[in-house]
Amino acid sequence: MDGLQEQSTMAMTAMTVDEEAAKPGRKGNGFYCSPAQLFFVAITVAITITGVGLLCYYAPDRPECSGTDPIVGLTTKNVPTEKPKTEKPQTEKPKTEKPVTTKMMTTKKATDAPPTAPQPTSGEWEGRLPSTVKPTLYTLSLRPYMYEKDIPANSGKRLFSFDGTVKIEIDCLEKTSTIKLHMNAINLTAEPVVTDIADSKILSSTYTTQEDYQFLVINLDSGSLLPDRKYEISLEYVGDLWNGLAGFYRSKYVNEAGEERYIATTQMQPTDARRALPCFDEPAFKAKFDTTIIHPNDLTAITNMPNITTEALSGNWIGWTKTTFDTTPPMSTYLLAFIVSDFEYKEGKTSRNVTFRVWARKERINTVDYALDCGIKILEFFEDYFDIAYPLPKQDMIAIPDFSAGAMENWGLITYRETALLFDENENSASNQQRVAVVISHELAHQWFGNLVTPIWWDDLWLNEGFASYVEYLGVDHIHPGWLMKEQFVVADLEYVFTLDGLGSSHPIKVPVRTPEEISEIFDSISYSKGASILRMLNDILTEDVFVRGLTNYLNHYKYSNAESDDLWEFLTSADRGYGDNDVKRIMDTWTLQMGYPVVNCTRTDNEVFANQTHFLIDPTSEVEDKYGDQGYQWYVDVSHSNADSKSWSHMWLNKGPGTIKLSGSPASDDWYILNRKQSGYYRVNYDGDNWEALKSQLEANSSAFPDENQAALIDDAFNLARAGLLDQVTALGLTTFLKNELSYLPWEATLTVMGYVQDMFSRYEGYGALETYMRDLTLNLYNSVGWNDTGTHLEQYNRINALSTACAYKNDDCLLEARRLYTEYMTSSNAGNEMNPVSPNLRSLTYCNGIREGGQEEWDFGWEKYLSTDDSSEKSKWLYALGCSQEPWILSRYLEFSLDQSKVRSQDATYVIEYVSDNYVGRALAWDFLRAKWETFRNDYGGGSFSFSRLISSVTKHFNTEFDLAELEAFGIDRDFGSAARAYEQSIEKTKANIIWMNNNAQPTFDWLKAQNP
């Protein structure tokens, strides 16, 4: 194999736990003190204790002085080298908090057996449920009213509403006269009834609501619920089948006959099950569910479990069917799902006889075959990977026309956006196919990690999402090994999240959250992509066998129950005993309990490299958010390293401090050395100047000496170090010159990302012309090599999309001519009545965008008509993006207005319109003005919990780089409630300040360097 080939020996320093020695006390003789002396001594002691306490609290951990601090045992690893190649749920607007006294639950120990009572992490917020009772079984019945024809005459029932009844069996854990559960946006139609199950005695009670916490509070008139007794709460209610994409809601589509059709569907995560039924809506309150759905005969009902009976109703309800479903395993309320629709399905079976169905509206049922095949194979892969059989008898997946997230992992009934589940190989691109495979893999991974074992509270959300975001790559790699998914991880997740986590306003992976809005706020790339990145790093530290064995033991121990991060660390530590003997918790606490990540700074002297670590910040002058605490911003870093005179990678530890690397062999003084094999570690590396030059020379001479992941890492690290003022910008730019003769996807993807930042900064700067010329020249060989003939492997297709899109963006005349030709050909043939699209699916986004960008009103109107008429959601998404490419301000302004008209743009897609317009230099100011003018509309529609709301703030402001921009942004925030986008707003301010610094320090040197490359 080419490149760095790792041999069977790798030196690792052994470490052991170092116990702190206890110092014995000594009893001495007493002496007499006067009262004044005693008072003076007491004051002195108090001051001393306070001072020491403050020092202990504020002083960071002392860095260790060696790379061999004896805290963790490490053994030799053999790691061969090969040459490698969201969107989150919406909740409604929260209420203002009022104080309510509630007894809080306590955190269980990792060594305890699975608890019999739910035990979330402790906290001082009065909005948490008490631990006095726990639910064991919900018996739920629902009847939605979706069409006027189905509402019985004189029944008083309303269109787009639903009736519900629920009986909740509870165990009393502590004596109490109050039952508190969640309820939101539903109305009780009868008094709650509380029954003692043992003697069927009804307990007299009254009820109140606490809207601030979305509580239904039932108070017994006399007596109390007693421990170790079972009770039943009976509730009847009505609710709205609203269009808000959360709770129990309606979605709409138009069928082939032009008729409007409705679906009753659900999205419960994180805190919206309470919109569908009164319930104990916290993840630790697991219970079983018996569900019955009453629905019109011509519609089908599905839920988490298979149906066991169907009964045609009579009398006033003739034309309706009662479908009863099997009992679920114990599960959290946010995983509950039920859907009533006229959809069709295709079915298959797994090797273990699990029924697997994929549902879609009739018009799109021919596009579910790939998802069905993909889903069955990935489900079987995860059964083998976890060594635990899938625990349910069936798995449904369904494509919902209106859906706030990409997908939702409801146990046994996964819901998706159409673009994340449906794939037509004749109409959709390679990126559409990969998205479908990745999202399916992500959601199926949740069936074990999240559903079978669920975090106790939302502060461990990353355990769900980080893990699924990591193993999603493994599932897709299993069915498509040629896609090189494990290599793609570096540019798709790790380098992506580095930018956000390099802000002082970032947050730890495990972060305290309380309110629904705070919970929704952490459905971000820190929980997903950083969580995935540190698990990938941990897998590399422990080795695959140890890592997977620990996961399996963890899942088996806590199945059908709840756990937290420390529980996982305990099982991984146990699995590593006798192998690496790593103290996993001690290592991983430095990565989960403090924000950010280190940059490892290297300086070479002869055959030794001194390495120290510092907290990497894109803007070193930024104020670091300290409300979450930290560990001195030092980490346990597993440093892999190699050099030109070595054919292997060796490892050492930086133990919350510096260390010294011994280079292998007898390297020359100008030989290169390199750290972080395949960028498996979650850290950046800054080398001394001579080594940067040596690495650049090697890239130009033979880039294959480094794995593709390391080529990407060198570029990404260098440009971001330059942003932070830790490396000369010219050094970073110089690394790109080798790409003139490079065809590999990963280094190009990394380069286009970092140069995209320069492009954003230069969009209003005199240096843009020089940048355009350089990038046009840099991509010329790649452009000529890939061409417009849409063939080749998956990554060759990805590379072609990158090459052509970049060439057209930087005004390559041949590229623009071909894009215009294809767009015009499509317009001409379509206007002549021929609907066959001449543009290859992989090339449509760039062709549509450049056809509209280079055209005028006629080209835009053609695209708009195609957007409205296409029935393919992926194709619709391509047009949605391309329509934002117009160079006509009036057209862009009109398009922005269209985004708020749900007859033109689905509510789930509205924020994308603003984002796409803001990506267009002509439209940036228009998008910013539009967002400010329509702020209250967006705040009311999306501010409670939609991930797209946070993304909207970030995308519209990402190019801000002047003091005037900053002043406008800060003025916009005065006395304004940003809802779930509060953190995104803070980060936008920090990014803007960093952009201003970059312009002041790097714009002119970059301009000068670019001009020098184009004499």
Side-chain angles (χ1 to χ4, degrees):
M1 286 178 269
D2 293 333
L4 297 171
Q5 301 186 28
E6 298 171 338
Q7 306 299 319
S8 60
T9 58
M10 289 181 150
M12 283 201 170
T13 306
M15 302 179 184
T16 59
V17 176
D18 192 13
E19 301 288 346
E20 183 180 5
K23 295 182 179 180
R26 184 177 62 180
K27 187 174 181 179
N29 296 324
F31 59 90
Y32 174 81
C33 290
S34 70
Q37 288 173 318
L38 286 172
F39 179 79
F40 175 77
V41 170
I43 292 297
T44 304
V45 169
I47 293 172
T48 302
I49 291 172
T50 302
V52 171
L54 289 171
L55 283 172
C56 292
Y57 181 84
Y58 287 106
D61 290 356
R62 179 177 297 187
E64 326 291 355
C65 297
S66 167
T68 58
D69 175 41
I71 63 101
V72 185
L74 297 170
T75 58
T76 301
K77 294 188 293 186
N78 300 326
V79 195
T81 301
E82 69 233 359
K83 179 151 175 68
K85 75 172 198 252
T86 12
E87 301 160 27
K88 321 306 174 197
Q90 175 180 327
T91 57
E92 99 276 7
K93 185 176 179 179
K95 312 293 190 303
T96 305
E97 301 169 17
K98 290 182 181 177
V100 178
T101 303
T102 304
K103 183 172 181 178
M104 302 307 299
M105 301 183 187
T106 57
T107 306
K108 64 177 178 57
K109 300 297 184 182
T111 54
D112 294 344
T116 58
Q119 299 187 27
T121 50
S122 60
E124 296 304 323
W125 183 54
E126 291 82 1
R128 292 285 296 277
L129 293 173
S131 58
T132 51
V133 300
K134 70 165 185 175
T136 58
L137 175 67
Y138 293 83
T139 302
L140 174 67
S141 177
L142 295 165
R143 187 197 310 262
Y145 302 99
M146 301 160 61
Y147 298 97
E148 289 280 5
K149 68 180 180 62
D150 297 318
I151 301 178
N154 304 316
S155 67
K157 304 302 180 184
R158 295 178 294 108
L159 182 65
F160 302 139
S161 67
F162 65 92
D163 295 335
T165 64
V166 63
K167 295 181 178 181
I168 311 172
E169 291 185 15
I170 60 173
D171 287 345
C172 182
L173 305 179
E174 299 177 25
K175 182 178 179 180
T176 182
S177 59
T178 300
I179 304 171
K180 188 174 292 188
L181 61 163
H182 290 105
M183 184 176 75
N184 183 34
I186 53 181
N187 297 309
L188 298 184
T189 56
E191 292 283 329
V193 177
V194 181
T195 304
D196 187 324
I197 293 178
D199 57 14
S200 300
K201 179 182 178 181
I202 295 177
L203 308 181
S204 176
S205 64
T206 58
Y207 79 93
T208 59
T209 60
Q210 292 178 320
E211 293 186 1
D212 299 327
Y213 299 115
Q214 300 171 353
F215 280 158
L216 168 64
V217 183
I218 302 172
N219 297 296
L220 300 185
D221 292 336
S222 62
S224 299
L225 304 185
L226 300 177
D228 301 322
R229 291 181 70 88
K230 294 182 179 295
Y231 299 87
E232 180 183 83
I233 312 166
S234 297
L235 300 155
E236 297 179 11
Y237 60 96
V238 295
D240 287 328
L241 203 63
W242 71 321
N243 62 354
L245 309 184
F248 197 17
Y249 72 95
R250 71 180 185 271
S251 176
K252 181 179 72 174
Y253 73 95
V254 178
N255 66 13
E256 288 179 328
E259 301 168 330
E260 287 189 349
R261 302 295 294 170
Y262 291 95
I263 307 117
T265 186
T266 55
Q267 171 57 45
M268 307 301 199
Q269 191 185 45
T271 57
D272 283 302
R274 64 194 69 173
R275 294 190 68 99
L277 71 155
C279 59
F280 296 84
D281 200 11
E282 292 183 5
F285 287 84
K286 287 193 170 187
K288 297 179 180 181
F289 289 83
D290 278 340
T291 303
T292 297
I293 298 179
I294 302 170
H295 55 90
N297 290 345
D298 58 346
L299 302 179
T300 300
I302 55 176
T303 183
N304 303 82
M305 296 294 285
N307 65 302
I308 52 177
T309 63
T310 56
E311 175 190 352
L313 301 183
S314 57
N316 290 338
W317 295 104
I318 194 168
W320 287 72
T321 295
K322 178 181 178 181
T323 301
T324 302
F325 298 88
D326 207 350
T327 305
T328 71
M331 68 181 197
S332 303
T333 49
Y334 78 86
L335 296 171
L336 185 63
F338 26 86
I339 297 170
V340 179
S341 73
D342 61 357
F343 282 14
E344 298 182 353
Y345 67 86
K346 290 189 177 182
E347 180 178 325
K349 293 278 190 179
T350 72
S351 59
R352 290 181 171 90
N353 207 36
V354 174
T355 299
F356 205 112
R357 300 182 297 187
V358 183
W359 299 72
R361 48 196 171 92
K362 179 181 178 180
E363 294 79 6
R364 302 298 295 161
I365 195 64
N366 63 320
T367 63
V368 305
D369 295 304
Y370 176 70
L372 180 61
D373 180 65
C374 183
I376 289 174
K377 290 177 179 177
I378 291 177
L379 186 74
E380 292 174 339
F381 167 76
F382 283 135
E383 286 186 314
D384 293 336
Y385 182 78
F386 296 122
D387 195 23
I388 298 173
Y390 175 70
L392 302 186
K394 65 96 174 174
Q395 177 64 69
D396 283 316
M397 305 195 302
I398 185 168
I400 306 298
D402 299 284
F403 196 69
S404 63
M408 177 60 208
E409 65 267 21
N410 317 299
W411 215 356
L413 176 52
I414 305 173
T415 45
Y416 295 81
R417 277 196 183 207
E418 290 190 333
T419 54
L421 187 66
L422 308 181
F423 174 72
D424 183 344
E425 63 181 4
N426 297 316
E427 293 296 322
N428 302 145
S429 66
S431 61
N432 294 142
Q433 184 181 15
Q434 181 168 309
R435 171 169 167 75
V436 169
V438 166
V439 177
I440 288 174
S441 187
H442 182 102
E443 303 307 324
L444 288 177
H446 274 310
Q447 306 305 298
W448 287 265
F449 232 94
N451 298 7
L452 184 64
V453 179
T454 309
I456 293 172
W457 180 244
W458 296 106
D459 54 359
D460 268 318
L461 171 70
W462 83 274
L463 269 183
N464 273 10
E465 300 303 346
F467 190 86
S469 296
Y470 169 55
V471 299
E472 70 187 31
Y473 285 84
L474 308 185
V476 179
D477 184 70
H478 172 72
I479 62 172
H480 293 298
W483 290 7
L484 303 181
M485 292 301 299
K486 295 177 184 178
E487 289 83 350
Q488 287 193 54
F489 181 94
V490 167
V491 292
D493 274 86
L494 189 144
E495 292 176 358
Y496 165 74
V497 74
F498 263 168
T499 301
L500 178 60
D501 206 23
L503 299 175
S505 54
S506 183
H507 65 83
I509 282 181
K510 182 166 183 173
V511 57
V513 289
R514 306 178 306 168
T515 68
E517 207 162 47
E518 289 176 351
I519 293 166
S520 296
E521 198 175 54
I522 62 168
F523 279 78
D524 63 3
S525 58
I526 298 297
S527 297
Y528 283 69
S529 296
K530 182 177 180 178
S533 297
I534 66 167
L535 288 170
R536 173 177 175 263
M537 175 179 69
L538 183 57
N539 179 298
D540 189 64
I541 292 170
L542 299 178
T543 73
E544 175 78 359
D545 288 346
V546 169
F547 184 75
V548 174
R549 183 165 59 252
L551 295 180
T552 298
N553 294 340
Y554 163 83
L555 290 171
N556 275 319
H557 185 79
Y558 289 104
K559 60 186 177 184
Y560 305 115
S561 186
N562 299 84
E564 57 188 354
S565 300
D566 283 354
D567 299 326
L568 178 59
W569 303 152
E570 179 181 357
F571 276 90
L572 290 172
T573 297
S574 177
D576 196 37
R577 199 161 292 131
Y579 296 89
D581 290 323
N582 290 289
D583 184 346
V584 175
K585 173 175 167 55
R586 193 163 187 182
I587 295 169
M588 297 308 292
D589 278 356
T590 65
W591 299 98
T592 61
L593 302 183
Q594 61 184 350
M595 72 174 75
Y597 55 90
V599 53
V600 176
N601 304 288
C602 299
T603 305
R604 178 181 173 183
T605 303
D606 298 325
N607 285 359
E608 292 186 343
V609 175
F610 177 75
N612 75 309
Q613 55 172 297
T614 55
H615 182 196
F616 178 82
L617 291 169
I618 290 174
D619 175 10
T621 67
S622 63
E623 210 173 295
V624 177
E625 179 61 74
D626 61 358
K627 65 182 177 182
Y628 305 113
D630 62 77
Q631 298 207 350
Y633 292 108
Q634 295 285 294
W635 290 261
Y636 290 111
V637 186
D638 177 24
V639 177
S640 52
H641 58 91
S642 189
N643 55 276
D645 201 42
S646 174
K647 297 299 181 182
S648 66
W649 289 85
S650 299
H651 289 251
M652 66 161 290
W653 281 88
L654 297 183
N655 296 316
K656 300 184 76 172
T660 300
I661 298 169
K662 304 284 188 180
L663 299 181
S664 300
S666 303
S669 60
D670 59 350
D671 279 350
W672 53 263
Y673 62 92
I674 191 168
L675 273 60
N676 203 5
R677 181 192 61 88
K678 296 188 177 183
Q679 210 168 12
S680 58
Y682 190 73
Y683 59 92
R684 296 195 184 278
V685 185
N686 192 10
Y687 302 99
D688 54 78
D690 289 342
N691 196 59
W692 277 116
E693 189 59 36
L695 292 167
K696 175 179 179 292
S697 297
Q698 180 62 64
L699 286 170
E700 292 175 340
N702 179 18
S703 62
S704 65
F706 307 127
D708 283 12
E709 296 99 320
N710 282 100
Q711 296 178 39
L714 288 170
I715 293 166
D716 187 68
D717 280 353
F719 274 82
N720 283 282
L721 290 166
R723 282 181 68 179
L726 302 177
L727 183 67
D728 184 65
Q729 182 70 43
V730 169
T731 299
L733 289 163
L735 289 178
T736 64
T737 57
F738 85 99
L739 288 160
K740 284 188 176 183
N741 300 308
E742 181 62 55
L743 301 179
S744 297
Y745 170 72
L746 254 66
W748 266 111
E749 178 70 12
T751 299
L752 295 179
T753 298
V754 295
M755 293 305 290
Y757 174 78
V758 178
Q759 184 184 30
D760 282 343
M761 295 301 96
F762 271 33
S763 61
R764 298 177 292 180
Y765 178 65
E766 61 175 322
Y768 188 85
L771 172 66
E772 189 174 75
T773 302
Y774 177 71
M775 290 301 295
R776 192 164 57 236
D777 179 61
L778 187 68
T779 57
L780 185 60
N781 180 57
L782 180 64
Y783 173 78
N784 290 333
S785 298
V786 299
W788 284 79
N789 186 16
D790 190 18
T791 59
T793 66
H794 185 74
L795 284 188
E796 286 172 346
Q797 292 173 335
Y798 266 37
N799 227 13
R800 178 175 296 107
I801 295 167
N802 271 350
L804 302 187
S805 298
T806 304
C808 282
Y810 288 111
K811 299 296 191 296
N812 178 307
D813 289 337
D814 182 75
C815 183
L816 291 174
L817 184 65
E818 182 63 12
R820 286 197 299 266
R821 185 192 70 76
L822 285 171
Y823 194 82
T824 301
E825 180 183 344
Y826 186 22
M827 286 181 63
T828 301
S829 64
S830 181
N831 291 336
N834 179 8
E835 288 304 316
M836 181 66 68
N837 192 334
V839 186
S840 166
N842 285 319
L843 306 180
R844 287 181 184 175
S845 289
L846 74 96
T847 298
Y848 297 168
C849 177
N850 285 287
I852 289 173
R853 176 184 287 130
E854 298 296 311
Q857 181 177 358
E858 182 181 2
E859 286 74 14
W860 196 93
D861 288 346
F862 172 78
W864 179 246
E865 187 277 329
K866 289 298 179 186
Y867 168 77
L868 293 177
S869 63
T870 184
D871 194 44
D872 186 308
S873 296
S874 293
E875 184 74 358
K876 193 177 284 287
S877 294
K878 292 178 175 64
W879 283 116
L880 196 75
Y881 159 72
L883 290 164
C885 296
S886 174
Q887 301 294 286
E888 297 288 346
W890 72 270
I891 288 178
L892 295 175
S893 294
R894 182 181 64 176
Y895 188 34
L896 290 169
E897 292 292 342
F898 285 176
S899 71
L900 297 182
D901 184 344
Q902 292 188 26
S903 68
K904 295 182 172 68
V905 177
R906 288 188 181 275
S907 59
Q908 66 177 17
D909 296 326
T911 58
Y912 286 107
V913 174
I914 292 66
E915 290 180 50
Y916 295 151
V917 171
S918 71
D919 282 339
N920 179 346
Y921 298 146
V922 175
R924 283 183 170 175
L926 298 173
W928 174 227
D929 289 346
F930 183 77
L931 178 62
R932 288 183 290 178
K934 306 293 184 180
W935 176 258
E936 288 306 317
T937 299
F938 284 108
R939 173 68 179 85
N940 292 334
D941 289 349
Y942 302 102
S946 173
F947 180 75
S948 60
F949 190 55
S950 296
R951 194 180 61 239
L952 181 60
I953 295 286
S954 301
S955 62
V956 171
T957 61
K958 69 179 181 180
H959 63 284
F960 284 11
N961 62 1
T962 68
E963 294 290 351
F964 180 76
D965 291 334
L966 178 61
E968 281 202 328
L969 184 57
E970 290 178 331
F972 180 58
I974 295 174
D975 296 328
R976 193 175 301 277
D977 177 11
F978 284 92
S980 61
R983 191 187 303 276
Y985 173 72
E986 294 173 6
Q987 291 170 344
S988 293
I989 290 177
E990 185 178 351
K991 289 177 185 177
T992 300
K993 291 177 178 178
N995 292 345
I996 293 170
I997 293 173
W998 188 93
M999 290 297 295
N1000 292 337
N1001 296 339
N1002 293 329
Q1004 190 61 49
T1006 300
F1007 184 20
D1008 293 341
W1009 186 89
L1010 291 170
K1011 286 190 296 184
Q1013 310 310 304
N1014 309 301

